[in-house]
Amino acid sequence: MKKRIMTAGMLAMILAIGMTACTKADNTTKTEKTSESDGKKELKKSDDEKNVMNAEQKKIYEKIKLTYKEEEQKKVAEKLEKKKESQDYNLNNMLIEYNPFGTNTQSLYVYFKTDAAVKVSYTIHVKDDGISDFSRDVYQDEEYQTEHEFQVIGLIPDTENTITFYVTNEDGSTNTKEIVYEMGSLYGEEKVQLDTDMKQSADQLEDGLYVILGNDSSSMDFMYYYDNSGVLRGEVPLLGYRSHRLLFDDNSMYYSISEKKMAQVNRLGQVTKVYNLGDYSLHHDYVFDENGNMLILATDTTQDSVEDIVLKLDVNSGEVTEVLDLEDLFGDYKKTCVKNSSDELDWMHINTIQYMGNGSVLLSSRETSTIIKVDNLYDEPSISYMIGEKDFWEDTSYVSCVLNKKGDFIIQGGQHTITYETDESLADGQYYLYMFNNNIGISETRPDYDWSSIGLKTSSAVDGKNSKYYKYLVDENEGTFELVDSFKVPYSGYVSSAQDIGDNVLADSGLKGTFTEYDEDHKAIATYKMDYEKFIYRVFKYNFEGFYFGKSE
């Protein structure tokens, strides 16, 4: 079984194999910037400035804005506390409130007590043969306890939902309570049932919910949760833009809610903190380091270039600090780049960040089709090495930083969602790196480079034969990377995602609006098709165990 662990940076080993030209940041010219996410700084634009809404949507959006105000959330929590204290709630008299915090339109808040210590689960059933039952164990601090407070998620909109609660004693005996809840409409217009092509038995699918991240809309924006049958089980409203992934710590879930803000949400759905990034706008990705700080890919809106900054967010204090400006490492290269068709100097276009431990990160640069390892992120950032095409960097001072390609294969092109993965079977200094290889050869900010000369012959965002899932074995000791696994997926020149889940692989071909879960032999188990305006940015699968749900035995 694969195991994710933290590794130390291997800078000394890389230098030993001759990469002496790899560079450190020029801290004499770097100005550290910090900002407080307490709302003191005015945003240059409102969260919904780009959105076009009708009258009904505007009313809904006013509710969503209240959802992401901490003081409003505290008021809701206080009201619930008063209700909990107003009477004795038990299995036959549960306190049930529909979506009190506003963070999931397909949820209920539930509270009750029992005399004996029990564990709780529930099943949601609707009178529609096309929609299967949804069953989950409830998360509790202890497996068996006497006080029960949780979210029920997965209700079906515009229909009568029968919810059966199962209360199991330590001796195995079970009591049940059935309620009927008539759920209203969604905020948005997403399909409740996706078009689903089930190629194999659904039992082959890994457990969890597909979380749709970035079904970008010109009106309102949401995250969606879909089950293995393609049935909508959660609608999470956002202020705007998109969420890029979900992060979890012991008690909270974190996700972006606009270009300027991140949210911390507890298990009951309460927004406990909103973080304002000040003059920075986030994009593409964020990750925790080993100390619980969040590293966020960002743009400094006061600079001439975009998508080339890394921030550190202290989730306790809310302090935001700039820890890396890629110009400090690649200044000479930046000078050679031109603006793209959107009149932006998007010269690196970093679309993924992975934390490796001890201040080392991997950054995926779409614009250079290169993966960059940066060491000493918090002190003196330096390029440790790069994984990409040497020919692209040939006439620069950075070519000596590029690892040697081991084997005969075409390099990744415009890759997205790189994932760092270690395995106990590997030697120290080795790790796996997998990604959605978009298989596109284009760089608008470096238009002189001929990608077709290295085998990347497609430059269209939509008209290509196929993209690929790629998995490299990186050997820092030898200074090499080799392709150890690969298979074709539907083409998407931009965006998209890949995720290893158990023995399966989930791939989202964003510009086609489809996502597919593949078995260990790379054969499709199920493909889901979404309606979309632009693309489906990412799809990741989460089991939510230890958050919404109890852990499987």
Side-chain angles (χ1 to χ4, degrees):
M1 178 176 290
K2 294 169 183 173
K3 181 181 179 183
R4 181 71 59 82
I5 62 174
M6 298 293 185
T7 68
M10 304 297 291
L11 179 58
M13 293 181 181
I14 298 304
L15 292 177
I17 61 174
M19 294 193 169
T20 54
C22 296
T23 60
K24 294 183 179 180
D26 181 4
N27 288 319
T28 61
T29 59
K30 181 182 176 74
T31 301
E32 185 180 71
K33 301 179 181 180
T34 62
S35 65
E36 295 291 335
S37 61
D38 57 5
K40 292 179 181 176
K41 292 199 174 193
E42 292 293 323
L43 299 185
K44 293 189 175 181
K45 63 184 179 188
S46 62
D47 294 305
D48 64 326
E49 183 178 304
K50 297 179 181 178
N51 293 11
V52 179
M53 304 181 205
N54 60 36
E56 182 61 29
Q57 288 171 329
K58 288 179 180 178
K59 289 180 183 178
I60 293 172
Y61 190 76
E62 290 304 310
K63 295 180 183 179
I64 296 172
K65 287 199 289 188
L66 292 177
T67 292
Y68 292 107
K69 291 185 180 295
E70 292 176 33
E71 290 304 315
E72 294 297 325
Q73 293 282 291
K74 287 177 183 177
K75 291 177 185 178
V76 174
E78 289 167 0
K79 288 181 181 178
L80 285 176
E81 284 299 317
K82 288 181 180 179
K83 286 187 177 182
K84 285 163 58 178
E85 296 168 0
S86 67
Q87 58 181 283
D88 292 328
Y89 290 100
N90 54 47
L91 184 60
N92 293 314
N93 178 37
M94 294 186 287
L95 173 58
I96 298 176
E97 297 280 335
Y98 170 71
N99 186 26
F101 296 106
T103 49
N104 185 344
T105 64
Q106 294 173 259
S107 71
L108 299 175
Y109 165 88
V110 178
Y111 176 82
F112 64 96
K113 292 182 179 180
T114 51
D115 294 331
V118 300
K119 61 181 179 181
V120 181
S121 61
Y122 65 85
T123 295
I124 297 172
H125 173 78
V126 296
K127 295 177 181 178
D128 184 333
D129 292 338
I131 297 178
S132 57
D133 290 352
F134 183 76
S135 300
R136 291 295 189 272
D137 295 330
V138 169
Y139 172 83
Q140 298 188 145
D141 291 334
E142 302 291 336
E143 184 178 7
Y144 296 90
Q145 58 188 59
T146 58
E147 188 173 22
H148 316 283
E149 187 177 32
F150 53 89
Q151 271 195 93
V152 168
I153 72 169
L155 299 174
I156 302 300
D158 300 313
T159 194
E160 184 179 272
N161 292 255
T162 299
I163 308 168
T164 304
F165 293 94
Y166 300 89
V167 177
T168 303
N169 298 290
E170 292 186 73
D171 64 7
S173 60
T174 299
N175 295 317
T176 62
K177 173 65 177 179
E178 184 178 285
I179 68 165
V180 175
Y181 187 84
E182 183 80 28
M183 186 186 151
S185 300
L186 299 168
Y187 280 175
E189 300 174 349
E190 202 54 59
K191 281 186 176 180
V192 173
Q193 174 72 66
L194 295 181
D195 294 334
T196 304
D197 183 7
M198 197 70 66
K199 299 287 189 183
Q200 301 183 49
S201 168
D203 293 340
Q204 297 289 104
L205 297 168
E206 292 289 336
D207 291 336
L209 294 172
Y210 301 107
V211 177
I212 314 303
L213 300 151
N215 188 12
D216 291 32
S217 170
S218 59
S219 55
M220 295 188 297
D221 296 291
F222 302 90
M223 274 196 300
Y224 300 107
Y225 303 162
Y226 280 94
D227 66 18
N228 282 347
S229 298
V231 175
L232 186 65
R233 297 297 180 176
E235 181 195 54
V236 179
L238 307 174
L239 291 176
Y241 192 39
R242 69 176 81 104
S243 299
H244 299 86
R245 70 169 77 234
L246 301 178
L247 298 181
F248 300 87
D249 61 19
D250 290 340
N251 299 302
S252 302
M253 178 170 72
Y254 300 79
Y255 54 91
S256 52
I257 56 175
S258 74
E259 288 183 295
K260 293 283 188 177
K261 296 176 183 176
M262 299 285 305
Q264 178 193 68
V265 182
N266 70 17
R267 291 185 180 89
L268 301 178
Q270 180 185 351
V271 178
T272 46
K273 286 186 180 180
V274 175
Y275 307 96
N276 187 336
L277 301 183
D279 284 333
Y280 299 98
S281 60
L282 63 85
H283 65 89
H284 285 97
D285 211 3
Y286 32 80
V287 69
F288 278 133
D289 69 11
E290 69 262 59
N291 296 315
N293 298 303
M294 192 184 299
L295 296 171
I296 302 172
L297 299 182
T299 291
D300 182 344
T301 58
T302 67
Q303 289 191 171
D304 66 338
S305 55
V306 300
E307 304 194 354
D308 52 6
I309 300 292
V310 178
L311 304 177
K312 181 181 76 171
L313 168 65
D314 184 322
V315 298
N316 296 313
S317 70
E319 183 182 52
V320 177
T321 306
E322 180 182 308
V323 293
L324 178 64
D325 183 337
L326 280 167
E327 182 177 7
D328 294 334
L329 295 180
F330 291 91
D332 290 342
Y333 175 73
K334 182 180 179 181
K335 292 174 184 176
T336 69
C337 296
V338 299
K339 290 185 177 182
N340 61 20
S341 57
S342 299
D343 198 33
E344 292 180 322
L345 188 55
D346 190 7
W347 62 290
M348 273 289 181
H349 196 97
I350 303 300
N351 59 34
T352 318
I353 181 169
Q354 291 282 283
Y355 190 73
M356 303 174 75
N358 293 336
S360 293
V361 295
L362 289 171
L363 302 174
S364 168
S365 167
R366 188 200 75 185
E367 192 68 5
T368 66
S369 292
T370 301
I371 297 153
I372 306 161
K373 183 185 178 188
V374 176
D375 285 341
N376 305 313
L377 184 67
Y378 300 133
D379 300 311
E380 282 189 81
S382 60
I383 303 170
S384 179
Y385 55 76
M386 305 193 297
I387 300 170
E389 179 56 53
K390 280 194 175 184
D391 184 69
F392 180 84
W393 297 99
E394 190 62 44
D395 296 326
T396 74
S397 60
Y398 310 98
V399 66
S400 61
C401 298
V402 182
L403 297 186
N404 293 315
K405 186 171 69 172
K406 186 177 179 180
D408 184 18
F409 58 91
I410 297 173
I411 202 74
Q412 77 276 355
Q415 74 289 333
H416 280 72
T417 58
I418 65 167
T419 300
Y420 164 73
E421 184 179 84
T422 64
D423 190 293
E424 291 178 343
S425 66
L426 298 177
D428 290 343
Q430 293 182 331
Y431 63 88
Y432 291 118
L433 184 66
Y434 70 83
M435 69 200 74
F436 188 98
N437 173 11
N438 297 71
N439 203 24
I440 189 173
I442 190 171
S443 178
E444 287 193 33
T445 59
R446 175 86 182 277
D448 59 306
Y449 187 73
D450 180 13
W451 290 96
S452 66
S453 67
I454 61 167
L456 291 168
K457 299 181 180 180
T458 301
S459 59
S460 167
V462 294
D463 298 325
K465 290 184 178 180
N466 57 264
S467 295
K468 295 182 179 181
Y469 168 91
Y470 257 24
K471 188 171 189 175
Y472 291 148
L473 173 61
V474 180
D475 191 325
E476 295 184 315
N477 305 310
E478 298 294 329
T480 61
F481 66 101
E482 62 179 308
L483 186 64
V484 295
D485 196 10
S486 171
F487 66 94
K488 296 176 182 179
V489 297
Y491 183 75
S492 182
Y494 293 135
V495 301
S496 309
S497 60
Q499 179 189 20
D500 285 2
I501 41 175
D503 293 327
N504 295 346
V505 172
L506 171 62
D508 157 45
S509 295
L511 290 174
K512 289 219 174 358
T514 66
F515 58 97
T516 301
E517 189 167 333
Y518 299 87
D519 66 18
E520 59 185 335
D521 296 319
H522 307 327
K523 295 179 180 179
I525 304 171
T527 296
Y528 308 86
K529 175 69 174 177
M530 294 194 68
D531 291 337
Y532 62 103
E533 290 182 34
K534 303 174 185 175
F535 48 73
I536 308 301
Y537 178 66
R538 282 180 178 168
V539 180
F540 288 147
K541 199 170 200 179
Y542 298 91
N543 59 30
F544 293 101
E545 291 182 0
F547 189 71
Y548 296 133
F549 310 132
K551 293 186 177 180
S552 300
E553 298 180 357

